[in-house]
Amino acid sequence: SQKIEQNSEALNIQEGKTATLTCNYTNYSPAYLQWYRQDPGRGPVFLLLIRENEKEKRKERLKVTFDTTLKQSLFHITASQPADSATYLCALLLDTDKLIFGTGTRLQVFP
Amino acid sequence: DGGITQSPKYLFRKEGQNVTLSCEQNLNHDAMYWYRQDPGQGLRLIYYSQIVNDFQKGDIAEGYSVSREKKESFPLTVTSAQKNPTAFYLCASSTARDRVGDTEAFFGQGTRLTVV
């Protein structure tokens, strides 16, 4: 069966540390993998996109890696801040423009 | 002011009634999507459309219907056949994959539907 899995347990880290979130998928061949941030009661907001032929992408304190052999993406937030506390969703964009999301991981950064 | 607008923000309906959720975008995007989100859950795809007058079922299309008569609009009807319609509904749009540029999705503010 096709699945996108993110760690369902909340990730709690101390301010200033690096947060690492994992996204694993099975039986998909995505053209792109995207990461979004969602705050309670709001729609997700796009953060980063990585293509199938890219290994790593960076934007300010954010870094995404993409391993199509392992079918896994890692999302890193360096020098984390309490304002980074939110739910982070990974999403796969397939060849048919179908955009599907994982279950999300809640990140809590405490002072 | 470009963006994607969902209305209303909150919607209450009686069981057995059909209800239509509005989604409008002025971003000139080809692709539009409808998702359902239940508490503590991720987004589940209901329907999506790549082009006007065409749409495809997502993973949980049963009990829902859509139309795409205009590029800017993608309304979702929650029918009485949907067994558990109370949820947070999100609409999104993006450029199609074959266009130049990234294909990030922009989301509306969501509609919280409560069926009593």
Side-chain angles (χ1 to χ4, degrees):
Chain A
S1 64
Q2 296 176 314
K3 290 190 296 185
I4 306 173
E5 293 182 312
Q6 295 184 254
N7 193 339
S8 59
E9 293 183 9
L11 178 62
N12 298 306
I13 65 165
Q14 192 171 24
E15 183 175 9
K17 302 291 187 184
T18 296
T20 299
L21 286 71
T22 304
C23 176
N24 295 293
Y25 60 93
T26 56
N27 294 324
Y28 286 115
S29 296
Y32 302 86
L33 189 144
Q34 304 174 346
W35 284 89
Y36 291 78
R37 168 185 172 138
Q38 186 178 25
D39 292 289
R42 310 288 294 270
V45 174
F46 172 80
L47 296 174
L48 273 177
L49 173 153
I50 188 164
R51 293 176 175 80
E52 59 183 332
N53 60 350
E54 296 176 321
K55 296 288 186 187
E56 183 179 299
K57 203 83 167 277
R58 292 175 186 260
K59 180 182 176 182
E60 297 173 354
R61 294 186 295 112
L62 308 180
K63 185 178 85 169
V64 174
T65 63
F66 193 15
D67 188 327
T68 54
T69 301
L70 291 178
K71 296 187 183 294
Q72 179 181 79
S73 174
L74 299 178
F75 178 76
H76 307 271
I77 305 175
T78 59
S80 59
Q81 305 164 1
D84 295 326
S85 299
T87 295
Y88 291 86
L89 301 157
C90 74
L92 305 182
L93 181 63
L94 307 181
D95 285 345
T96 55
D97 277 328
K98 187 176 183 180
L99 181 63
I100 47 177
F101 283 79
T103 51
T105 297
R106 192 162 64 87
L107 172 67
Q108 185 72 37
V109 181
F110 55 92
Chain B
D1 205 15
I4 180 165
T5 302
Q6 289 185 243
S7 62
K9 190 171 182 179
Y10 299 96
L11 190 55
F12 295 87
R13 279 294 182 268
K14 290 185 178 179
E15 194 172 338
Q17 289 183 335
N18 290 359
V19 59
T20 298
L21 281 59
S22 169
C23 180
E24 303 278 332
Q25 54 99 359
N26 60 4
L27 299 167
N28 199 33
H29 285 167
D30 293 303
M32 295 189 75
Y33 305 85
W34 273 106
Y35 296 91
R36 169 186 173 133
Q37 188 172 36
D38 293 286
Q41 304 295 312
L43 277 63
R44 291 187 291 167
L45 181 64
I46 305 173
Y47 270 98
Y48 68 106
S49 168
Q50 297 165 278
I51 197 169
V52 175
N53 292 324
D54 191 33
F55 48 83
Q56 286 77 41
K57 291 182 179 180
D59 300 319
I60 56 165
E62 186 174 350
Y64 299 98
S65 66
V66 293
S67 62
R68 187 84 187 276
E69 297 176 1
K70 298 186 301 181
K71 187 175 186 178
E72 302 80 17
S73 180
F74 192 41
L76 173 74
T77 297
V78 184
T79 75
S80 57
Q82 169 51 234
K83 298 303 179 191
N84 185 19
T86 294
F88 188 47
Y89 290 89
L90 286 159
C91 179
S93 70
S94 72
T95 56
R97 272 196 65 246
D98 57 355
R99 303 279 185 182
V100 175
D102 285 342
T103 57
E104 63 190 89
F106 292 80
F107 281 83
Q109 64 176 3
T111 293
R112 193 167 297 279
L113 173 65
T114 302
V115 175
V116 295

